[in-house]
Every structure is written in C-alpha cells, then in structure tokens.
Amino acid sequence: MKVLIVFAHPDERSLNGSLLKVTVKQLEDDGHEVKVSDLYRMKWKAVIDEDDFLNHNKGERLQVAAASGGAFFNNKLTEDVVQEHEKLQWADTVIFQFPMWWFQMPAILKGWVDRVYSLGLAYGVGEHNETKWGDRFGDGVFKGKRGMLMVTIGGSVSNYSERGICGPIDDVLFPINHGILYYPGFTVLPSFKIFKSSTMTPEVYDDWVAKLKEHLHNVENMEPIPYRRQNGGEYSIPSLELKPEFGKSGAQGFSLHIHN
Amino acid sequence: MKVLIVFAHPDERSLNGSLLKVTVKQLEDDGHEVKVSDLYRMKWKAVIDEDDFLNHNKGERLQVAAASGGAFFNNKLTEDVVQEHEKLQWADTVIFQFPMWWFQMPAILKGWVDRVYSLGLAYGVGEHNETKWGDRFGDGVFKGKRGMLMVTIGGSVSNYSERGICGPIDDVLFPINHGILYYPGFTVLPSFKIFKSSTMTPEVYDDWVAKLKEHLHNVENMEPIPYRRQNGGEYSIPSLELKPEFGKSGAQGFSLHIHN
C-alpha cells in the first residue's frame, strides 16, 4: 500500500506521537510505503481566506466555494495545498490521526480539510440528473482509495457506548467518516479508537500498541463500513432521502445510512 | 440580554455577513447589548500550541490539557484568550454564527473553542464522587447562560431530514450543541438553520430574515433543548451511561440524551 498519514498533534513526545512512530514502523515493516503530513511541524495554515486563491483580487468579495473552484481549475492554488493534492493522488490509503478535542478534530486538521478539499476536486463534481446527484457519498475523486481515522479520546469507552452520555462513538465520528471521507469517494474503514488517553499507564499503552499493530495488519483486507451509495438506487433524487423500502425497521439517525 | 456573537466568516459581504448585521440590529432594536467576536477580522489564531501558555518552557514536552490549566490558574494565558474569557463572563447569551463546512464548524471557530475553552474553566471542573462526575453536561462555569447556533448550510432541508443522506441536522449539530455548549453548562437553545445557502435569491433571503428576526425575538424566553443533566440522577456514575429505566422505548443514539 501507499499510505498517507495526516497527523495533527503539537508534540511528537505525546501519546499520539508515539502511536505515529509505531504506525509508520509497522506499515514499513509490512512492506508498505508511508508519507506523513505532520501538520504542526509543517506549520500548516489552518484558516482558509483570500490568500489561498492566487487569482483572487485582494479585497474583492470572497465567495469561498467559487474562489476555490476558480483557483483549482486554473492552477492558482497555493503550493502547500498542491502538495497535499499530490500526496492524496499518490496514496491508496489515507489515515487521519488526531486527538479528539471537543468531540471534533483539532482546528489544524479541520483547516487541512477546509483548504485541501477544493471545489472541483472533493465537491461540486459530477453530473446532476434524474439518477445521480453529483459524484459524492460513495463516488468521487478518491474512489478506490481507503480512508481511516486513528483517534485518541479522553473519555472512557462507556461514555461513548450505546447509552453513554457522549453518544455512541461511531455516531460522534459519523460526520467525519461519512461527511469527510465517504463524501469524496473514500472507502471508509472502521476507526481505530483509543479511550482514556489522558490516563495511560505503560501496561495499558502496550495493550493498545498490540491492538494497533493488529489493526494495521488488517487494513489492506479489512471490511469497510458499508455506507449506502448515494447514487446506488436507494435514495430519492434529488431529495437524497432514503427510500421507504430501505433501512431496518426502527433504525433512525445516522445508522440508516449503513447497510446491515 | 447581553449577547456575544462569535462570528466565523471571511467576508462581511457574504450571506453570513448580512445575517450578522440583521442580527445585531434586531437585538439592539429590542434593547439588548451586543458584542461581536469577528474571528476573521480579529485575525484569530486558530491553532493551539506552546505559544498559548506563557509559563510553558519552549521546547519542553507540551501536554495540552495540563499546560492549559497551568496557564489558566496562573494567569499566563495570552491576551486574546483572556479577552474572550471576559466577553464570555459578561454575556448572558452566546451565539456561534458560522457556515457549516464539511459538516462541522470552520477551522477558525474550532480554534476559538480549542484555545478559549481552558482546563479549569470549561473542563476539568468540579468534584468527582459517587453522585457527580465533575461539573459538566448541564453544570459548569457557564450555567445560567444561553447558547445558540446560527448556521448556514449548503444542502437542502431534505438532505438533513430524518431519512436524509447527511443525517438529521440536529444529530449533525449534536456534538457542537451538546459537546461544546451544554458540556460547560450553557442552556442550549434550538439552532437557527438556513438551508440551500449557496443558491439564495432575494425573495428567499427576505423570508429567512423574517424568520431570523422572529427567532431572535424569542431567544430570551425560548424553551431550550431538554438535554438530560449528567449529575441529575439519570446516569450511572462513573460509567455515564443512561440508566435502563430512562429513555423512550426504541430511542437510540443522540436522541437518548434529550428528555421527551
């Protein structure tokens, strides 16, 4: 495999930093190629603004989506974004590794998505007609590539269980897995989740490392999350509502959009 | 009311910029005081790092939560963060206004949360014992203040309906409403949501403005989202799982955590 890891933690001596080293070594030992976008080390610019679009006249009204497409199609994106596009093209597997802060990704990683996911590349792609509504949610430029989250979480697994106060962890991660990975075409693998990250003992750490290595061994052949394809006939076009005949009785919310 | 609006859009000539002006004027006409944190205009630093903690020795390992608490309790946070804390103390109502990008808030606003929500202020607060597990999810420093989202959304309302492919909009916003507003104690009001924001006509805009004004009129007396209090007896401590006797039959996922 060719694996791109997009890594978002400020310190390589952290739990996340250690896990990154384990991951890179394991993947390389297994014969895979690895590139890392270490966003803090790269001093990644997190905030999308007019400076991102080299053909935008400074001071003119900035319509972000239009400007993004205008720069993408005219090769007027900034060099840092272009390099990320090249890495994404190169990779067949993309891993986002981050600590969950406030039930979401850190700002620096959100800013990677905001800036790298250009109009014309990650969205606004494909025909809109009676049988399909753009290339998205299962189609899109990254179709054929695998995407996966590696997340450290401060809370305990029970906090994120079916009845846990934070909500089921896979629901908390749904807007990222389904909305950021599946939307532009990635095949989404089950996330690797580490709980109670802030109170880690050496023994517990060793257990997590063993589990992580096992997970990484399986990435190449792992069954993905079986999201329903937007253009696969199960959704009404253009409302994009799941047709009444699909979905298990009693299913509701995000779970409706997963085959089961 | 004293209203703080945290605003995250790069251009004041945008739909969001127009709605911000409408909002400020309406609130002031109704006799309220308004402050705006216009994050792009303030050139808000989005990325939390060692520079945020003035008592952190540069180059030493950065443990973000510990460093955040260490700076908070010793008055060693940066001036921009301190000013936001003062605005939050002043306000009785806080509105986050933003365009939804990739099913989440823009990076600049996420970076406001990451940096302003210090340990000792927004988390890591309160006793942990057999009947309560910290001051959070209904308790916390912002208890008694109202919080609300104003969000523009590119997709149509059907995309975010009960069976819509993006998931129900209130589930998509749950990690923000419940995880960022309710967690440190805000009473959370129903979000004001504008759909199909990228294809707005003047007529449709006028309709939204009328609805927005109506919503703002009601903010002071609006019924909040009835989330369950973590320490109110409905959750097991410390697993934080909803006890078996609570929750409507068949309810699942985020909806379990709302009284109904």
Side-chain angles (χ1 to χ4, degrees):
Chain A
M1 302 188 290
K2 292 174 177 171
V3 184
L4 170 63
I5 303 173
V6 185
F7 177 76
H9 192 284
D11 200 312
E12 62 170 345
R13 292 158 294 189
S14 63
L15 172 63
N16 269 280
S18 300
L19 296 171
L20 174 64
K21 286 189 198 93
V22 168
T23 300
V24 172
K25 181 167 187 320
Q26 184 63 52
L27 290 169
E28 289 181 344
D29 284 353
D30 287 347
H32 307 302
E33 290 175 76
V34 182
K35 293 186 183 184
V36 178
S37 287
D38 182 343
L39 300 183
Y40 270 91
R41 286 227 186 173
M42 292 156 68
K43 299 187 188 304
W44 181 259
K45 174 180 183 284
V47 175
I48 194 167
D49 60 23
E50 64 175 8
D51 293 339
D52 286 318
F53 314 114
L54 304 176
N55 53 346
H56 178 78
N57 292 320
K58 303 256 173 185
E60 280 191 9
R61 176 172 171 190
L62 180 67
Q63 297 188 276
V64 177
S68 173
F72 175 72
F73 288 117
N74 293 289
N75 298 314
K76 295 290 184 187
L77 291 166
T78 56
E79 184 56 29
D80 59 347
V81 168
V82 170
Q83 283 184 16
E84 297 305 298
H85 288 179
E86 287 169 0
K87 290 181 209 168
L88 284 166
Q89 273 188 308
W90 168 85
D92 52 48
T93 303
V94 175
I95 297 174
F96 290 164
Q97 193 199 334
F98 59 97
M100 197 163 71
W101 289 343
W102 298 106
F103 306 95
Q104 326 219 338
M105 44 175 64
I108 199 169
L109 180 54
K110 181 64 200 337
W112 184 92
V113 176
D114 291 345
R115 296 184 58 232
V116 171
Y117 270 31
S118 308
L119 178 91
L121 180 76
Y123 68 113
V125 186
E127 275 183 58
H128 292 64
N129 57 41
E130 280 163 31
T131 58
K132 81 176 223 178
W133 202 252
D135 293 335
R136 49 185 217 165
F137 291 121
D139 292 295
V141 69
F142 301 128
K143 186 148 186 164
K145 299 178 191 286
R146 284 174 294 268
M148 188 183 96
L149 310 182
M150 269 181 65
V151 194
T152 59
I153 297 159
S156 69
V157 68
S158 68
N159 301 172
Y160 292 87
S161 65
E162 281 307 312
R163 296 176 68 84
I165 195 167
C166 301
I169 185 62
D170 288 331
D171 283 0
V172 175
L173 297 177
F174 181 91
I176 306 178
N177 273 326
H178 185 260
I180 294 178
L181 289 175
Y182 193 59
Y183 186 105
F186 284 103
T187 297
V188 186
L189 304 184
S191 309
F192 188 76
K193 296 156 284 202
I194 292 189
F195 294 93
K196 297 195 84 165
S197 58
S198 42
T199 52
M200 185 72 58
T201 62
E203 294 71 33
V204 173
Y205 174 77
D206 289 344
D207 279 352
W208 282 117
V209 166
K211 283 183 192 142
L212 172 58
K213 288 182 175 180
E214 178 73 17
H215 195 90
L216 293 169
H217 268 311
N218 294 331
V219 161
E220 209 165 358
N221 299 304
M222 194 179 285
E223 283 296 315
I225 303 174
Y227 291 127
R228 300 178 192 275
R229 279 186 58 227
Q230 176 191 283
N231 299 324
E234 296 179 300
Y235 291 92
S236 300
I237 306 282
S239 79
L240 306 186
E241 290 178 296
L242 189 66
K243 292 177 181 171
E245 61 267 39
F246 298 106
K248 220 166 57 179
S249 160
Q252 52 185 257
F254 297 152
S255 69
L256 271 174
H257 306 288
I258 303 175
H259 281 120
N260 47 26
Chain B
M1 300 189 293
K2 291 174 176 169
V3 184
L4 170 63
I5 304 174
V6 185
F7 176 76
H9 193 284
D11 200 311
E12 60 172 346
R13 293 157 292 189
S14 63
L15 172 63
N16 269 281
S18 301
L19 296 171
L20 174 64
K21 286 189 200 95
V22 168
T23 300
V24 172
K25 183 168 188 317
Q26 184 63 51
L27 289 169
E28 290 181 344
D29 285 352
D30 286 347
H32 307 301
E33 291 176 75
V34 182
K35 292 186 184 184
V36 178
S37 286
D38 183 341
L39 300 183
Y40 270 92
R41 284 229 188 171
M42 292 156 70
K43 299 189 189 304
W44 180 259
K45 174 179 182 284
V47 175
I48 195 168
D49 60 22
E50 63 175 11
D51 294 340
D52 286 317
F53 314 114
L54 303 178
N55 53 347
H56 178 79
N57 292 319
K58 304 256 172 180
E60 279 191 11
R61 177 173 170 190
L62 180 68
Q63 297 189 276
V64 177
S68 173
F72 176 71
F73 288 116
N74 294 289
N75 298 313
K76 294 291 184 185
L77 290 167
T78 56
E79 184 56 30
D80 58 347
V81 169
V82 171
Q83 284 184 15
E84 296 306 297
H85 288 180
E86 288 169 357
K87 289 182 210 167
L88 284 166
Q89 273 188 309
W90 167 85
D92 53 46
T93 303
V94 175
I95 297 174
F96 290 165
Q97 193 198 332
F98 59 96
M100 197 163 71
W101 288 345
W102 298 105
F103 307 96
Q104 326 220 339
M105 43 176 63
I108 199 168
L109 180 54
K110 181 64 199 339
W112 184 93
V113 176
D114 290 346
R115 295 185 58 235
V116 171
Y117 269 31
S118 308
L119 178 90
L121 180 77
Y123 68 112
V125 185
E127 275 183 58
H128 292 64
N129 57 41
E130 280 163 29
T131 59
K132 81 177 226 179
W133 201 251
D135 294 334
R136 48 185 219 168
F137 291 122
D139 292 294
V141 69
F142 301 129
K143 187 149 185 162
K145 299 178 190 287
R146 284 174 293 267
M148 189 183 96
L149 310 182
M150 270 181 62
V151 194
T152 58
I153 297 159
S156 69
V157 68
S158 68
N159 302 170
Y160 291 88
S161 67
E162 280 307 312
R163 296 176 68 84
I165 195 166
C166 301
I169 185 61
D170 288 330
D171 283 359
V172 174
L173 297 177
F174 180 90
I176 307 178
N177 273 325
H178 185 261
I180 294 177
L181 290 175
Y182 192 59
Y183 186 105
F186 283 104
T187 296
V188 186
L189 304 183
S191 308
F192 188 77
K193 296 155 284 201
I194 293 190
F195 293 93
K196 296 195 84 165
S197 59
S198 41
T199 52
M200 185 73 58
T201 61
E203 294 72 30
V204 173
Y205 174 78
D206 290 344
D207 279 352
W208 283 118
V209 165
K211 284 185 191 139
L212 172 59
K213 288 181 173 180
E214 178 73 13
H215 195 89
L216 293 169
H217 267 312
N218 295 331
V219 161
E220 211 167 357
N221 299 304
M222 192 178 288
E223 284 295 317
I225 303 174
Y227 290 127
R228 300 178 193 273
R229 277 184 62 226
Q230 177 190 284
N231 299 323
E234 296 179 301
Y235 291 92
S236 300
I237 306 284
S239 78
L240 306 185
E241 292 177 294
L242 189 65
K243 292 178 182 172
E245 61 266 39
F246 298 106
K248 220 167 56 180
S249 160
Q252 53 185 255
F254 298 151
S255 69
L256 271 175
H257 305 288
I258 304 176
H259 281 121
N260 48 23

